[in-house]
Amino acid sequence: MPSNTGAIAAPNAYPSGPAVETVFVRVTVEGTGCYRIVLQDLKVEPLPIILEPTQDVLTVCDTDGNGIGEFNLAALITAMENGEPNIAITFHHTLEDAQDGNNPIGNTTEYINTDPYLEYIYVRVVNTVSGCVNGEVYQLSLIVEPAPQAPALDPLTLCDEDSNNQDLKTIFNLTQQDAVIYAALNAAPGSLTIHYFITEAAARAGAPRITTSGNYFGSDAQVIWVRVASANGCFSVTSFVLKVNKPLLLTTPPMLTVCTETLPNTGQAVFDLTQRDNDILGPLGVGKGYTVAYYETNPKTNPLAVAIATPTAYTNPAPPAGNPKTLYVVVTSKEGCKSYTTLTIKVLPLPMPDTTPDRLELCDDNNSPDGIEIFNLKLAEADIRDNDNQSVVTYYAQEPDAEAGTNAIADPTAYPSGSGFVWVRMEANTNNPADPKCHQVVQLELKVNPLPAIGDANGNVPPYPICQDNLTGFAEFKLNDHIEKILGNNSAADYTIEFYFDQAALDAGTALPRLYTNVVPNSQTILVM
């Protein structure tokens, strides 16, 4: 060594083995020739080696269709180290940066790729003790796999028509949305896995899912989440809303009852069924766009049932099946929700009075000849009733009043009238205040007969004298011979005349014989009726 011989010919390319080797270094000052010998140990450190990750862990799913995903690069490090100590791993955008150790990727736990669908990054591995860097930079492929992009879904809308149609809950077939999803994605049926969930978290986790999606008991405004997955396991999540429309709550309307229009009583009549529309709809339904339809057969059990075409002019079937008759009512909302009830209709018979009663006649006894007498109209009632003792009979001065049942004669037993007519309303009594008042109106004639004009022009009856040669004061009178004098210009054929001793005899109805001898001498007054 001091002889300065045997120097290493190519110190810049000296091969050394894996063991530690010591070499001697001569350091000489050129100007003086003085030198010094120092020792230097040579040791070859191995390059750091990592276990490259499999490609599947470098693949994420594209949930929104933009080719961008989130990668957790930091989660790869432990597996890549594979137990090797003193390893530092960094990730870089370019090969050069990885080789030089420049610009390492900062956020390795939530790295977002910048190149859609496929991006290359590079791994630099450094031994933290020796400082050795991996000789060959590792290239990683970050892949964003396309996921089926679940479309926005319209609500599923149903009417609440189950056993409880007011709780806004009913059975849905959620799988109706399957066809919509396949069509939107232009995917072949069966190529996707579609599951339904109650929460978004469950949809993203894939469990727990709704296992009865074809028969799901859902509520109004409930959100259903959908996970749509392709064969590669990539999925997207969408949602839709359940809408339950509530039909109108109905009650059974009161019976609709009408009277037979004309005799005879056939048990059939024309009904305006729409008179019960408001009763059926109630205060919550009137004016809210509901429609009411009437059926002869039950549309819930008979799908061929047809609504009555003219509900404003419906004629019930003939008895006995048609009177009374129960009809079926369907109320439909603007959303198409239906609710059901029934309506019973009934035809009531008209009373059957004698339509040609005998007239009531009175003589013009009071204030004659004013032509006005006091009639007891009820004297005609039995004749009018014609053995109907259940109907109510009232009397009216005007026919319109009789038809309307207004302004009845207050006291029909003392009704002042001249010759003319009154109208008698005979009204059936069903003992049900809700029933219409079926009635018939009968015209009743009243006649006031004038008293006969008697005697002379002044109403004086001339005396009936008999001459006697032998004056006794008593004679036999032929009363019929004086009738012409009594009647004046009236025909005897039109009148019946009776003679009475006095008022008491008249009241008793004891008439005098037609050959009568006076009992009061010379002059006697008798009564003529």
Side-chain angles (χ1 to χ4, degrees), residues 118-204:
L118 175 62
E119 181 176 329
Y120 299 106
I121 62 171
Y122 302 88
V123 183
R124 176 184 175 88
V125 184
V126 179
N127 186 305
T128 57
V129 175
S130 67
C132 294
V133 179
N134 57 315
E136 182 180 352
V137 175
Y138 301 105
Q139 177 182 283
L140 301 182
S141 300
L142 302 183
I143 299 174
V144 180
E145 284 279 2
Q149 299 304 302
L153 297 174
D154 292 332
L156 284 185
T157 303
L158 288 179
C159 295
D160 190 355
E161 294 181 359
D162 53 19
S163 58
N164 182 357
N165 65 1
Q166 297 296 305
D167 63 354
L168 292 176
K169 297 179 181 179
T170 195
I171 300 296
F172 284 86
N173 180 6
L174 305 180
T175 63
Q176 288 178 292
Q177 299 285 24
D178 288 6
V180 178
I181 294 169
Y182 277 113
L185 298 181
N186 196 25
S191 61
L192 302 172
T193 300
I194 303 174
H195 288 154
Y196 297 86
F197 302 82
I198 293 176
T199 66
E200 181 180 10
R204 296 196 178 280

Side-chain angles (χ1 to χ4, degrees), residues 340-412:
Y340 304 86
T341 187
T342 58
L343 170 65
T344 299
I345 60 175
K346 185 178 181 181
V347 180
L348 295 177
L350 292 173
M352 300 178 66
D354 182 347
T355 57
T356 57
D358 295 337
R359 67 188 177 194
L360 295 181
E361 295 189 54
L362 289 177
C363 295
D364 188 9
D365 289 326
N366 298 314
N367 301 316
S368 180
D370 63 355
I372 303 298
E373 287 298 318
I374 305 300
F375 285 87
N376 181 358
L377 304 179
K378 285 185 170 292
L379 294 177
E381 188 164 307
D383 186 12
I384 294 170
R385 283 185 178 276
D386 200 18
N387 297 317
D388 178 355
N389 295 317
Q390 300 300 316
S391 295
V392 177
V393 176
T394 47
Y395 301 84
Y396 299 83
Q398 302 294 329
E399 185 177 13
D401 286 342
E403 293 290 354
T406 58
N407 302 316
I409 294 171
D411 184 4

Side-chain angles (χ1 to χ4, degrees), residues 174 195-213 216 223-227:
L174 305 180
H195 288 154
Y196 297 86
F197 302 82
I198 293 176
T199 66
E200 181 180 10
R204 296 196 178 280
R209 65 184 177 89
I210 297 172
T211 58
T212 57
S213 53
Y216 178 70
V223 177
I224 298 296
W225 292 88
V226 190
R227 179 187 175 105

Side-chain angles (χ1 to χ4, degrees), residues 500-521:
Y500 297 90
F501 180 77
D502 56 14
Q503 186 64 45
L506 175 61
D507 293 340
T510 305
L512 297 176
R514 297 307 173 103
L515 294 174
Y516 174 68
T517 300
N518 60 305
V519 296
V520 177

Side-chain angles (χ1 to χ4, degrees), residues 1-5 26 35 37:
M1 185 69 68
S3 62
N4 193 22
T5 61
R26 179 188 174 102
Y35 67 90
I37 304 297

Side-chain angles (χ1 to χ4, degrees), residues 28-58:
T28 303
V29 178
E30 291 184 357
T32 63
C34 296
Y35 67 90
R36 185 176 180 180
I37 304 297
V38 297
L39 299 178
Q40 179 175 320
D41 290 333
L42 300 179
K43 182 180 181 182
V44 178
E45 291 286 350
L47 292 177
I49 298 174
I50 62 171
L51 180 65
E52 290 190 59
T54 58
Q55 195 57 57
D56 61 339
V57 301
L58 297 175

